[in-house]
Structure formats: C-alpha cells, structure tokens
Amino acid sequence: MLAVPTLIDLTLFPYWWLQLVAFGFGVIIGSFLNVYIYRFHTGKSLSGNSHCLSCGASLRWFELFPLFSYLILRGRCRTCGSRIPCRYFLVELATGVLFVLSLTLSLNIFIVILFWFIFSVLMVITVYDLYHFIIPDRLTIILTFSVLVLIGYEYLLLPQDWEVLTFRFLSALFGSAFLLFLWVISKGKWLGFGDVKLAFPLGLLVGTPFVFSFVVLSFWIGAVISLIVIGWQKLKRGQSRLHFAGRALTMKSAVPFAPFLVASGLVIIFTKLNVLELFSFF
Ligand SMILES: [Zn+2]
C-alpha cells in the first residue's frame, strides 16, 4: 500500500480557526469567481483593473473587499449610483459558506482543497446556467477531471475493490442516462443536454448509494423552485389569485436545470440524504 503523506495536519488547529480561515478564503475566491463568470462570457481578459460595469470608474482599494464593500456601498456604484447585481454578494457568501462546510467532509488538506476547487467550479456552472441557459463543456470537463482526481486520491488512501469503483462509474452513468432519456422524450424541453453531461461528474461525486437520491431530489427542488417562480411571476403581473393548475405548471422550454442538479448534489454530499428513507415514515 502506498503511503500518502498528509501535507498539513489540520486537526492540530482549533476548529473555529479553520472555519474562519476557510470562510475568509472562500469569499475571496468567490469574488474571483464573479470576475471569472463575467469575463468568461464577455471574452475580456482576466487581467486589468476592476471597474464599474456602468460608468467604467475604477474601483478603489476599499471597494475590493469581498462581502463588506457590497454592504458598505449598499449595492450601488460609488461614482454613478448604478446597481451592482446582488449575485456578486451571493456568490461570495455562498462560496464562503461552502468552504466552511467542506471542513465537515474531511480534514485532509488535499481533499479539502479538492472540494474547494470542485465547489468553485459548481458555483460558476450554476451562475452561468442561470444567466445564459448553457453549461460550457469546458467547465463540465474540468469538473469531471477534478472529481476523478478526488476519487483517485481517496483510492490511494483507502484502496477498494475494483468492483466498487466500477459500480461507482456505472451508477453515475445510469443517473446521466436517465436524464438523457428525459431529454430525448421531452425533446430537450425539461432539461438541456448540458445537464445530461453535468449529471455524470455529480453522480460520481455523490457516490453509488446516493445517485438515485441525487436525481430524484434535483427534480423535487426543481418543482418547488419552479412553483415559486411561476407564482411570483403571476403576482408580479398583478393577478391576485394563483393558478397552479393546468398550463401554468408546464415548464418552459428553457429552464436552467443545472442549479437544481448542483443544489441536489450539495444537499446529498453534506447530509447523505437517502430519499427512500423519507418514505419510511408512512
Ligand atoms: Zn459606476
């Protein structure tokens, strides 16, 4: 058996200290992810000063602090007063929280960093799909590769039978194939082909016993969020009564499904939820 050195023994540090460092690092990475998401789409280079997207005014040093600058500026540009999208704040906060939660998965520094990387990629995929209704293949490939590195490293730490690994790949493929089936019969109306591809690395990540729960939960989350969005849109149109029956329930052709897959995957990873157990109450 290969001896895998642990670079830093995180158990030597006080836990709250680790959480603080993880959160601080997470919000900083989150602010870089915001820049990456914006520039990935517009094709602008990643170098250069940060500036207001409306008036082009360069940001001063005190406006570059993640989370705090958004709160201090109350979501508006100091120069022109135009709104800064709240996703900047939310991405930073969510990344910080995910980085802290990663510590519950492992205290092996290499595994923690891999999870941080994986969650960062998932964050970009989620926001990108929300705004552009597409999941860039490049991101899915990076995600798949990093999940494979994680599985490989875990294998070095704790060698398993090849059947276990094979079954892990097969169940991820099965989850992906189920979405492919839905993609075919709905002619791409319920989800996109990018979601079919994304389900594979996510299925690999959650692991064999949880692929079923992962797929089912993504549809539950999707249904609940869709109902809320549909209801909210109806309220905005000034209709006092909500019509949840019939046509109102049908999903539009372009529903960004990746956020539901990612949300489901995250819930499963952190809670080890088995949806079948939910029915054991009845
Ligand atoms: Zn401005």
Side-chain angles (χ1 to χ4, degrees):
M1 183 186 155
L2 265 158
V4 183
T6 38
L7 303 170
I8 303 171
D9 191 0
L10 288 180
T11 51
L12 292 176
F13 299 95
Y15 196 63
W16 66 268
W17 193 86
L18 290 178
Q19 287 177 312
L20 205 65
V21 171
F23 186 75
F25 190 57
V27 292
I28 292 168
I29 294 294
S31 71
F32 281 110
L33 295 181
N34 274 321
V35 175
Y36 182 76
I37 291 163
Y38 172 71
R39 297 189 179 172
F40 188 84
H41 182 60
T42 56
K44 292 179 183 167
S45 83
L46 281 167
S47 58
N49 290 326
S50 296
H51 55 84
C52 169
L53 300 182
S54 287
C55 66
S58 290
L59 298 183
R60 303 277 302 277
W61 61 271
F62 58 88
E63 292 169 284
L64 293 171
F65 282 97
L67 287 183
F68 298 105
S69 51
Y70 185 89
L71 293 175
I72 292 166
L73 297 169
R74 294 182 187 184
R76 290 186 181 277
C77 168
R78 195 173 45 92
T79 311
C80 69
S82 65
R83 284 196 89 81
I84 304 164
C86 66
R87 83 166 152 89
Y88 282 87
F89 182 79
L90 293 177
V91 166
E92 286 164 4
L93 183 65
T95 311
V97 170
L98 280 174
F99 275 34
V100 172
L101 288 177
S102 301
L103 297 171
T104 64
L105 300 173
S106 175
L107 282 180
N108 177 312
I109 184 128
F110 191 67
I111 292 181
V112 169
I113 289 172
L114 271 173
F115 271 116
W116 284 355
F117 184 79
I118 288 168
F119 294 149
S120 299
V121 179
L122 289 177
M123 187 66 66
V124 176
I125 287 176
T126 304
V127 177
Y128 204 88
D129 193 41
L130 272 175
Y131 280 81
H132 308 299
F133 293 40
I134 195 164
I135 307 167
D137 275 338
R138 197 196 305 177
L139 295 176
T140 310
I141 291 167
I142 292 171
L143 180 68
T144 309
F145 183 74
S146 44
V147 172
L148 288 176
V149 172
L150 177 68
I151 292 174
Y153 184 70
E154 284 175 342
Y155 182 82
L156 287 181
L157 288 179
L158 189 72
Q160 301 157 310
D161 287 333
W162 276 102
E163 291 112 68
V164 177
L165 277 183
T166 312
F167 209 66
R168 189 164 181 173
F169 278 86
L170 285 179
S171 42
L173 269 179
F174 188 79
S176 197
F178 178 70
L179 292 190
L180 177 67
F181 168 73
L182 293 179
W183 180 74
V184 170
I185 61 165
S186 74
K187 299 192 175 78
K189 276 187 184 142
W190 297 340
L191 39 86
F193 192 63
D195 303 309
V196 176
K197 289 182 274 191
L198 176 64
F200 179 70
L202 280 174
L204 267 184
L205 187 61
V206 297
T208 306
F210 300 106
V211 171
F212 176 77
S213 296
F214 157 62
V215 173
V216 170
L217 187 65
S218 69
F219 281 96
W220 287 353
I221 295 173
V224 170
I225 302 287
S226 300
L227 279 178
I228 292 171
V229 169
I230 290 167
W232 188 64
Q233 283 172 343
K234 284 204 169 270
L235 275 177
K236 258 180 67 178
R237 280 192 223 115
Q239 295 175 354
S240 52
R241 275 181 24 205
L242 300 180
H243 301 279
F244 279 143
R247 256 181 336 119
L249 272 177
T250 55
M251 281 183 165
K252 281 181 288 177
S253 56
V255 172
F257 199 73
F260 306 145
L261 284 173
V262 173
S264 170
L266 291 176
V267 169
I268 304 283
I269 288 165
F270 288 115
T271 66
K272 304 286 177 215
L273 175 78
N274 181 350
V275 293
L276 292 176
E277 281 171 9
L278 295 176
F279 293 105
S280 61
F281 295 114
F282 302 107

